[in-house]
Structure formats: structure tokens, C-alpha cells
Amino acid sequence: MFRRIMTATAALAVCAATVTAGNDTDELQRRWAVIAGMNLSCPTTASVERSPRDAGNIAAFASPQCNVLLEYYLPQQHFSLVGGYNAETVQWFGSEVDATMQNIVVGARYYPLSKRFALQPYASLMTNINVAGRHVRSSMSGWNADGSYERNSTISLPRVSVAPAVGIDCYIFSSLALEFQYGFPLAIDGKAHVTTTCNGSPDVYRLRSNMHRHNIQIGLKATFPFRFTAADGNSLFTLIEMALGIYDPADEKKQETKKERRRMKLGRVLDSY
């Protein structure tokens, strides 16, 4: 498994290096892009009273949801505007309490590096506008090893969240990249209250969240005008060879450094005497 991961990483590195070598700054005219992928969210908790019967994770990353974004590159080389749609599911107590937001997102990105680099880190500031219902109430009961419990929740989903984020585009071809992003949406007027009672006891355990959350996005990005160069063809050929087991980057002969070449020349001179 580790060898497969290392091989895949090496393959991406080879492709990225090839794309970098084949790119010309004057030729790279990225005007807009389409980003499609998935995202996962995990809410934070403002306060929690943990019952001995709730020893598991209170909050965790929920099931992945889709996101589709359009990006427009401004004439200024390092800035772009981003907008589109994403869904976010937040959950507590192993999905016994959950809710989903349907967000319209708008924002901007800043890319510090020149477009000729295959790795494009960025910082962004996004605004998520929830267009779905805001209020979710639920009540459930269950059993565990220690007996019965009852759980009630009241969730007010935020209408607006402001999300600072950082990410990176890894171009495997001139117009095709893998995108990874981490953001922290800050909810405006979001609230979640969960109460739990065990075995009919009068003791009530409470959880409260302000609906701030960690968010991870993974996607595929295509830029336009779409380009496919000779360097991209070489990268694709390398990927196919690696998939078939014909080529392994680990078998590549390491390029000699200037210091090693001088040492070899000196050794040949000394051996001639």
C-alpha cells in the first residue's frame, strides 16, 4: 500500500515537472475555470457536558457533499473571482443529530506565484449563503450497553457564513489540476442545542455549537481556453506506462551533480598515473 502511494506521488511529481517545463508564461491564458468535487465539514462545539454513555466522538466529519464552482481570472495576474454551489452536512453523535445546508458561494482568490508553476497555492475569502430551510428539530431514543437514552436537538442553520481558506492547485496537465482546500466557515447567527437524558434520569447533558466548522474540499479543475500540449502528451504517456507497470520513477537513474562529476574526473586523472 505504501509503495502504491509513493508511486502515485512520484507520478504526479513527474507530471507536474513535465507541465512546468512545457509551460510558457506567454502561452498561459487562463480566463476561466470549472471546479467540481466534494467537501466534508466538521462543526466545532462551544460547550459540551459529556455523559459517560456518550464516550464516542461528539462531532466528526460528516458524509461528503458535492460542490460545483466557476472561477474567472481577473486581468490582474494574481486574482480571481469564484462562485457556485456547495452542500454542507454537519453532524454530532455519529450522525444521530445532523443537518444539511445548501449554499450559494461567492468570493475571491489570490495566487502569489506566476502561472508557469505547476503548483499554484492560493488564499481565498468566500461567503456561503444558505438557501435551504434554517430550522431543524429532531427527537430520538436508543439503547447502548449502559441502558436507554433520549436525545433532542434544535438547530438554527446560519443564513450566512464567511469562510477564509487556503488551498493548492496541482496541475497534472496544462489545463487540468487537482485542487485541495481547507477552510474555516464562520457562521453568522448559527446555533445548535442538543440535550441528552439517560435511563429516565432527571440529569440533562447539554451540547451547544455556534456552527463554526472545519471544511475540506477536494476537486478536479479544468481551465479554459483548454490546452493540451506535447508535454501533456508525455505526461499522459508516463501515467499509462506506470499504470501498466512498465515504468517506475524509482528506477530512474539519478542525475549526477557537478561535485560528483568533478570527483569522477579527478579519480580518472589519478588512476592514469
Side-chain angles (χ1 to χ4, degrees), residues 1-57:
M1 181 66 180
F2 179 75
R3 180 176 175 81
R4 290 181 180 178
I5 294 174
M6 293 300 295
T7 301
T9 304
L12 291 177
V14 170
C15 292
T18 306
V19 171
T20 304
N23 280 344
D24 189 314
T25 306
D26 295 332
E27 295 178 1
L28 284 177
Q29 297 295 329
R30 294 174 187 148
R31 295 187 177 89
W32 59 285
V34 177
I35 307 163
M38 65 179 186
N39 72 90
L40 303 96
S41 283
C42 176
T44 61
T45 53
S47 64
V48 60
E49 299 172 6
R50 184 187 293 262
S51 164
R53 296 169 177 81
D54 295 319
N57 291 330

Side-chain angles (χ1 to χ4, degrees), residues 136-151:
V136 179
R137 294 177 180 269
S138 66
S139 179
M140 58 87 60
S141 59
W143 291 81
N144 56 28
D146 297 316
S148 64
Y149 65 92
E150 184 175 339
R151 183 164 287 138

Side-chain angles (χ1 to χ4, degrees), residues 234-265:
N234 293 334
S235 298
L236 181 60
F237 188 67
T238 299
L239 286 174
I240 294 173
E241 283 187 322
M242 293 185 66
L244 297 175
I246 301 173
Y247 167 75
D248 190 338
D251 297 334
E252 281 284 341
K253 184 179 179 181
K254 293 183 178 179
Q255 189 174 3
E256 294 179 346
T257 64
K258 291 183 179 180
K259 187 176 181 180
E260 290 173 338
R261 286 196 295 269
R262 292 195 195 101
R263 188 178 299 167
M264 291 182 64
K265 288 180 180 179

